[in-house]
Amino acid sequence: MNVQSPPEKLTARDFATDQEVRWCPGCGDYAILKGVQNTLAQLEADPKNTVFVSGIGCAARFPYYMETYGFHTIHGRSPAVATGVKLANPELDVWVVGGDGDMLSIGGNHTMHAIRRNVDLQILLFNNQIYGLTKGQYSPTSKIGTKSPSTPLGSIDNPVSAAQFALGVGGTFIARSSDILQKHLPEVLKRAYKHKGASFVEIFQNCIVYNDGAFKHFTEKSVQDEMQIHVEHGEPLLFGKDKSKGLILNKEEMRLEVVTLGEDGITLDDIAIHDETNRGLATMLAQMDPPDYPVALGVLYAEPAASYEVSVHAQIDQATKDGDKADLNKLLQRGQTWTVE
Amino acid sequence: MSEVAAAERPEEKRHEIESAVVRFAGDSGDGMQLTGSHFTMTAAIAGNDLATFPDFPAEIRAPAGTTFGVSAFQINFGARKIMTSGDLLDVLVVMNPAALVTNLADVKPNGIVIADSGAFTDRNLTKAGYTENPLENDSLDGYRLVKIDMSRLTVEAVKEFGLSNKEALRSKNMWALGLVYWMYGRKRQASVDWLETKFAKNPDIAKANIAALNAGHAFGETAEMPAELGTFDVEPAAIAPGLYRTITGAESVSLGLLAGSLLADLKIAFCSYPITPASALLHQLARMKEFGVVTFQAEDEIAAAAAAIGASYAGSLGITSSSGPGIALKMEAIGLAIATELPLVVINSQRAGPSTGLPTKTEQSDLYQAVYGRNGDAPMPVISVSTPSDGYEVAIEAVRIATKYMTPVMVLTDGYITNASEPWLIPDAGDSERFDVTFRTDPEDFQPFMRDDETLARPWVKPGTPDLMHRIGGIERSYDSGHISYDPENHQKMTDVRAAKVLGIANDIPEQEVTVGEAGAKLAVVGWGSTYGPINRAVNNMRDDGLDVAQIHLRYIWPLPRNLGELLGSFDQILVPEMNTGQLRTLLRDQYLLPAEGLNKVNGKPFLIGELEDAIRTRLEK
């Protein structure tokens, strides 16, 4: 037997496959792919225990580019497939990757149930507010009035807010980031990885071909400071250049309000503190929309709870504790029997 | 129990009969399924062979007294091998007018109809659509009618236990059961024991039910019994010795799946979504947690199939189950399992009709769906269950094929088999041959789609295995590396190899045998699935009458047994009775260019032996 040398520390590059990445030049997916590969390297994740599961769409090509185990499945069903993977082997670290159409339209039902069951998955929703792979139709997150091949006069259905959806179905971890936030994104992903249960991460992602600039009103450098608030548990909800703005809780109207420090007698003490275990606050943060509010990024909500596959196997462990019970012959003979001589 | 020990007084001589068909019918709240299952157990204990057919409404609890709320349980028991739940009824017990109007047509001419006259009130008669009481006019003249006010007699029999009238009436099914026990000289002890255990916490209810059971029996014994009612003796059947139990198709399939997984040394992940009549499987397997069985009630059919595939990918045996319309929803996911070449067992408990159809009625009309029902050229093996006990072996076989060939396998059973029961000679689990699965762990020259030379199966690798990381998916993949490939030649090759892999299974299944009779007869009656029983009885009867007929019953629908074409070619005529419009017939004609002829029926009911006998005679006596 050879003595095994300890494995060298892996880098982001070790998580990349030899496959040519085939996204459009300039697609936000490249940055997310790099962010995920960086995150796994920093976490010292074990490639053999890591599984990426995806549905259909541009984002769903993700597994082919990860040097881990991977399963590219069918549209919308990745949360269900991933649930099966976790049920069979709870030890695996399972990531689910998909776009807004994949996970909120055709797969909305499965996304809902994976989240509310609290299956220990990292669910990464790449939200670009459009269908990319099917060539530019509006998606369930598209704004009203989105002109697309299927809505030449503008879309008329109300968009869904991914983070509010996840909160509403009982999610235990809801976070947001963006493709261009290269430092922020890995930090959010690390938190997601460490959370036991369903970690839902909405990543605003730019589709350069069909919906270019959909998020520029809060992602462009010139407006970033004013239009993004990066929330941190236990820290005051401050944003703006020099952190001069903040959010206060208007208790009479039960809503958040944007204020400026130093105006109307507002001091740092008045600013609301982010409590990521407060679902109500998380909901208010998720609701915020420019131009009146900044977009809330970071971990909006995180509250530990028993994860599904652990509870499933706890029942099985309880049932199998008494090894004698698992006797197939006894089971075959269960109930009333009789002997024919 | 002292109640039962009461001297069974000497009786007049009983008529010896070879077999009898009895149906209990009443409102869905009358406990007819329970009554039937007690009678079944007692017949089994008496050594009869038997077959049962529970028939209940699709509504959970339809309004009392209505025709759509009628629940019935039929048992055919006998001193000979019983192949079906019986054609026509010797005895029909009806607890109300609705049960009479919906079941009378199945009673033999001059058969016995026992009616609870107490339930034939104006209100109940109106609900059943009668304008006058059929017990009081001459409309039942062709039958031996026995009118008994079971409601009143039951209330009287149980009045000492202080129950309300409504509670007291609940035990009238036991009164009826007691009477039928007396008719057939059956012992009550098993039922008494069951009632005492069941209602251990409610001794008054137990005592009331036992009192009702005894009262019905005593009613028969005493002079009060009308002369129309005979007493009968059904001797034990000649049955192979051994330990027996009764078993339904749902039980046998679930036990077979478990046995198969143990033989393969795999854990089960059973993922399903409730649907009639398939749900019974989920219920059965959910109670097998001590074997490490994972059951998952998914959010929908698609999720159930997808989760089962995910479980198979991760190294468990993924199983999903549904009934026809639910299977339709799963088909895209099944295509994914075919494309990624993962094992998956799919149990289809067929029901009648397109779309929702007749959820509680039986049919075998999903053969096309099973064999052809997917997008792309997507072949998968299909095997079928023929009797309630047959599910055990068929399920084991499904697990064997799925894991050996890395393929989904569809098992076709149906609502009749799922719910019906029959005696089962309990096998010894240790007698079955193991087929342990080997997971690939060797990274040397590994490619996810490299194939075994013989089976053409690709390797199964558990995520978590070092140095074998790979990606699979539904998009067409390169013949060996598994990387996405749009190469035209590669797609041709992959399509060909998927077909060849499934067709090759024909070399791994038994050659088709002639089930009854000999090759080369004038007529072969070819069936599959739950038509086994009636075809078998009809062919045997016609052979006894000297007709040159044989039975061929298929377990394997796809691929077909390798000798089947040649075998079928030896017969002058081929008749394919099916509870559909001719699906196996199409397949046989397509594969063998044979002039197979159909006998088709889709009324939600199994074939009657008489119907098949007529069809055989017509073809051989022209």
Side-chain angles (χ1 to χ4, degrees):
Chain A
M1 282 283 287
N2 295 327
V3 178
Q4 295 223 330
S5 52
E8 280 178 48
K9 203 170 164 188
L10 298 176
T11 65
R13 194 167 300 173
D14 294 313
F15 285 93
T17 58
D18 59 358
Q19 296 296 290
E20 187 189 343
V21 182
R22 295 192 191 177
W23 285 314
C24 308
C27 176
D29 287 355
Y30 285 98
I32 303 174
L33 176 63
K34 206 171 147 207
V36 171
Q37 288 167 342
N38 272 325
T39 304
L40 291 180
Q42 288 168 28
L43 288 166
E44 299 186 23
D46 183 350
K48 76 171 188 298
N49 280 329
T50 306
V51 182
F52 277 82
V53 182
S54 66
I56 297 293
C58 298
R61 296 292 178 98
F62 207 91
Y64 292 113
Y65 309 135
M66 294 298 301
E67 189 55 42
T68 63
Y69 283 93
F71 199 171
H72 178 224
T73 70
I74 41 180
H75 45 205
R77 319 305 172 195
S78 54
V81 173
T83 299
V85 172
K86 270 310 250 196
L87 283 172
N89 185 355
E91 303 302 315
L92 296 171
D93 178 30
V94 182
W95 299 68
V96 179
V97 177
D100 44 306
D102 191 37
M103 283 205 200
L104 292 174
S105 260
I106 193 163
N109 191 31
H110 310 304
T111 306
M112 167 166 87
H113 291 283
I115 294 173
R116 65 109 183 152
R117 288 189 184 108
N118 205 32
V119 185
D120 185 21
L121 307 167
Q122 285 76 244
I123 303 173
L124 312 187
L125 177 103
F126 297 9
N127 184 2
N128 56 18
Q129 296 187 348
I130 207 77
Y131 283 5
L133 200 67
T134 54
K135 300 203 190 304
Q137 299 85 354
Y138 77 116
S139 88
T141 50
S142 295
K143 290 192 165 57
I144 288 181
T146 300
K147 290 197 175 176
S148 80
S150 58
T151 52
L153 303 182
S155 66
I156 52 176
D157 32 336
N158 263 321
V160 60
S161 151
Q164 286 187 63
F165 163 81
L167 280 161
V169 301
T172 59
F173 182 96
I174 288 100
R176 274 177 176 167
S177 192
S178 151
D179 51 3
I180 56 171
L181 296 176
Q182 297 214 6
K183 282 189 181 145
H184 187 258
L185 179 61
E187 293 310 311
V188 167
L189 294 177
K190 281 186 218 167
R191 285 287 314 275
Y193 174 87
K194 284 174 182 155
H195 178 77
K196 296 295 167 204
S199 311
F200 182 80
V201 183
E202 179 183 18
I203 304 169
F204 297 106
Q205 178 259 346
N206 192 45
C207 173
I208 197 161
V209 173
Y210 293 109
N211 206 16
D212 192 24
F215 305 115
K216 68 178 181 193
H217 59 289
F218 68 90
T219 56
E220 267 194 353
K221 270 229 148 41
S222 59
V223 297
Q224 252 184 21
D225 290 342
E226 300 301 312
M227 286 294 122
Q228 291 180 12
I229 178 165
H230 293 205
V231 303
E232 294 257 6
H233 183 62
E235 298 292 325
L237 291 162
L238 291 170
F239 68 104
K241 206 160 186 253
D242 309 325
K243 301 283 179 201
S244 58
K245 290 184 179 170
L247 298 171
I248 61 164
L249 182 63
N250 178 331
K251 288 180 180 160
E252 272 172 29
E253 296 179 23
M254 285 306 292
R255 60 185 184 86
L256 294 171
E257 237 173 60
V258 174
V259 293
T260 305
L261 289 174
E263 281 182 11
D264 302 323
I266 297 283
T267 71
L268 191 57
D269 290 344
D270 298 312
I271 303 300
I273 305 294
H274 182 47
D275 174 3
E276 65 186 21
T277 66
N278 183 335
R279 193 179 288 269
L281 178 63
T283 305
M284 283 192 273
L285 289 169
Q287 281 169 348
M288 297 195 308
D289 245 342
D292 298 335
Y293 288 96
V295 172
L297 302 173
V299 179
L300 305 187
Y301 184 75
E303 176 98 80
S307 65
Y308 181 74
E309 73 288 347
V310 169
S311 302
V312 166
H313 283 275
Q315 282 191 342
I316 289 173
D317 291 346
Q318 184 65 31
T320 52
K321 214 168 51 182
D322 177 7
D324 287 351
K325 275 200 288 184
D327 179 334
L328 181 59
N329 273 326
K330 276 190 197 158
L331 183 65
L332 296 178
Q333 294 165 16
R334 192 188 269 176
Q336 200 147 5
T337 59
W338 69 94
T339 303
V340 174
E341 303 292 340
Chain B
M1 280 303 299
S2 56
E3 285 93 335
V4 172
E8 310 249 348
R9 72 183 173 110
E11 295 166 5
E12 289 156 36
K13 185 154 168 49
R14 291 176 171 272
H15 304 285
E16 195 157 311
I17 53 175
E18 199 178 31
S19 67
V21 183
V22 176
R23 184 186 296 174
F24 299 92
D27 197 69
S28 52
D30 281 339
M32 293 296 97
Q33 302 304 319
L34 180 68
T35 310
S37 61
H38 273 267
F39 195 82
T40 302
M41 179 48 62
T42 309
I45 290 169
N48 299 137
D49 195 22
L50 62 92
T52 72
F53 182 36
D55 188 16
F56 34 82
E59 292 73 19
I60 297 302
R61 189 57 56 88
T66 56
T67 52
F68 44 91
V70 172
S71 173
F73 190 104
Q74 179 171 326
I75 172 171
N76 182 6
F77 60 107
R80 61 173 183 177
K81 185 80 190 141
I82 297 295
M83 301 308 304
T84 74
S85 58
D87 277 15
L88 292 173
L89 308 175
D90 295 292
V91 177
L92 171 67
V93 181
V94 293
M95 308 307 281
N96 67 8
L100 180 66
V101 75
T102 49
N103 288 283
L104 187 64
D106 295 336
V107 182
K108 273 182 188 163
N110 207 30
I112 297 170
V113 176
I114 304 172
D116 174 13
S117 58
F120 281 65
T121 59
D122 289 348
R123 195 173 143 77
N124 279 345
L125 287 164
T126 308
K127 277 191 201 166
Y130 283 111
T131 50
E132 54 182 310
N133 189 343
L135 306 184
E136 306 299 338
N137 59 23
D138 55 6
S139 65
L140 298 175
D141 279 358
Y143 307 97
R144 281 179 281 163
L145 174 65
V146 184
K147 300 179 274 186
I148 309 172
D149 191 345
M150 297 186 213
S151 298
R152 182 179 61 79
L153 292 167
T154 302
V155 171
E156 271 176 24
V158 306
K159 66 181 168 209
E160 63 180 289
F161 304 106
L163 306 176
S164 70
N165 197 56
K166 201 175 163 190
E167 283 174 322
L169 279 175
R170 282 219 186 103
S171 37
K172 77 175 181 178
N173 61 331
M174 287 295 125
W175 198 100
L177 181 63
L179 179 67
V180 181
Y181 277 168
W182 169 78
M183 286 173 64
Y184 291 99
R186 292 294 139 101
K187 301 222 174 351
R188 283 160 283 163
Q189 193 62 52
S191 293
V192 170
D193 293 346
W194 185 89
L195 287 164
E196 285 182 335
T197 314
K198 173 79 181 171
F199 297 110
K201 288 184 184 153
N202 247 325
D204 278 350
I205 301 283
K207 282 182 195 155
N209 275 289
I210 294 165
L213 181 76
N214 289 334
H217 196 272
F219 185 90
E221 275 185 276
T222 63
E224 291 176 69
M225 195 54 237
E228 287 85 347
L229 217 55
T231 55
F232 307 95
D233 213 1
V234 184
E235 289 289 305
I239 298 175
L243 185 66
Y244 281 80
R245 60 174 283 189
T246 59
I247 195 160
T248 65
E251 288 168 338
S252 70
V253 170
S254 60
L255 291 170
L257 290 172
L258 176 63
S261 76
L262 295 172
L263 293 169
D265 194 22
L266 288 173
K267 286 280 188 273
I268 283 181
F270 184 87
C271 310
S272 187
Y273 184 75
I275 181 170
T276 302
S279 303
L281 263 188
L282 173 60
H283 304 167
Q284 292 288 338
L285 283 149
R287 293 166 55 209
M288 296 182 186
K289 294 231 177 335
E290 68 268 28
F291 293 90
V293 170
V294 169
T295 54
F296 175 57
Q297 182 179 316
E299 59 269 23
D300 65 17
E301 298 287 0
I302 299 172
I309 291 166
S312 280
Y313 171 70
S316 282
L317 174 64
I319 306 174
T320 191
S321 157
S322 190
S323 181
I327 298 291
L329 284 168
K330 295 181 196 292
M331 278 302 190
E332 187 198 10
I334 294 170
L336 175 68
I338 292 169
T340 54
E341 303 187 44
L342 283 168
L344 174 74
V345 176
V346 184
I347 313 286
N348 180 359
S349 300
Q350 300 164 95
R351 51 155 77 172
S355 184
T356 316
L358 301 173
T360 61
K361 304 297 175 190
T362 202
E363 211 165 272
Q364 43 182 181
S365 44
D366 291 350
L367 185 148
Y368 287 162
Q369 176 174 245
V371 176
Y372 305 116
R374 287 162 298 281
N375 68 296
D377 273 313
M380 72 188 279
V382 180
I383 57 181
S384 64
V385 180
S386 301
T387 68
S389 64
D390 188 41
Y392 184 73
E393 272 184 36
V394 169
I396 292 175
E397 179 70 342
V399 176
R400 184 186 75 87
I401 293 174
T403 52
K404 181 170 178 182
Y405 293 89
M406 295 291 283
T407 177
V409 174
M410 177 105 53
V411 174
L412 293 175
T413 176
D414 65 35
Y416 173 76
I417 290 173
T418 297
N419 293 318
S421 63
E422 65 181 358
W424 185 43
L425 177 58
I426 303 170
D428 186 324
D431 291 347
S432 301
E433 205 177 320
R434 295 189 63 84
F435 44 86
D436 298 63
V437 165
T438 311
F439 288 95
R440 167 109 188 191
T441 54
D442 180 7
E444 187 88 16
D445 298 328
F446 168 71
Q447 300 283 5
F449 281 85
M450 68 199 304
R451 293 168 190 284
D452 180 276
D453 292 340
E454 187 203 338
T455 62
L456 299 179
R458 75 173 190 90
W460 194 1
V461 181
K462 271 187 197 174
T465 309
D467 304 321
L468 287 181
M469 282 84 76
H470 66 282
R471 276 67 52 191
I472 59 172
I475 288 195
E476 187 64 284
R477 60 223 65 80
S478 156
Y479 185 79
D480 37 31
S481 72
H483 298 321
I484 290 177
S485 169
Y486 282 88
D487 174 46
E489 298 304 320
N490 178 71
H491 178 53
Q492 180 74 50
K493 195 172 172 186
M494 285 298 274
T495 304
D496 293 345
V497 79
R498 284 188 287 261
K501 180 175 87 165
V502 171
L503 286 174
I505 295 169
N507 297 319
D508 193 18
I509 60 174
E511 291 202 342
Q512 181 64 45
E513 290 179 359
V514 182
T515 312
V516 172
E518 294 86 35
K522 286 193 176 138
L523 174 68
V525 184
V526 183
W528 65 283
S530 68
T531 52
Y532 172 78
I535 294 175
N536 187 275
R537 173 63 72 205
V539 167
N540 274 309
N541 288 351
M542 292 301 90
R543 288 173 59 81
D544 288 349
D545 280 6
L547 298 186
D548 189 16
V549 57
Q551 177 188 17
I552 303 229
H553 200 76
L554 303 181
R555 169 177 285 182
Y556 299 90
I557 309 290
W558 195 259
L560 291 160
R562 56 193 178 279
N563 67 327
L564 184 64
E566 196 186 333
L567 177 62
L568 292 180
S570 73
F571 296 95
D572 293 351
Q573 296 182 67
I574 296 162
L575 177 66
V576 188
E578 289 179 274
M579 294 186 288
N580 61 41
T581 55
Q583 300 191 7
L584 177 64
R585 175 186 36 151
T586 304
L587 189 70
L588 295 177
R589 286 181 165 194
D590 165 37
Q591 291 297 306
Y592 305 121
L593 303 176
L594 286 164
E597 194 187 342
L599 176 67
N600 302 95
K601 166 173 170 170
V602 282
N603 66 353
K605 292 180 180 178
F607 272 104
L608 302 179
I609 294 163
E611 291 170 336
L612 295 163
E613 289 174 350
D614 289 348
I616 294 167
R617 266 189 214 288
T618 308
R619 278 155 190 85
L620 292 180
E621 292 183 346
K622 57 188 163 190

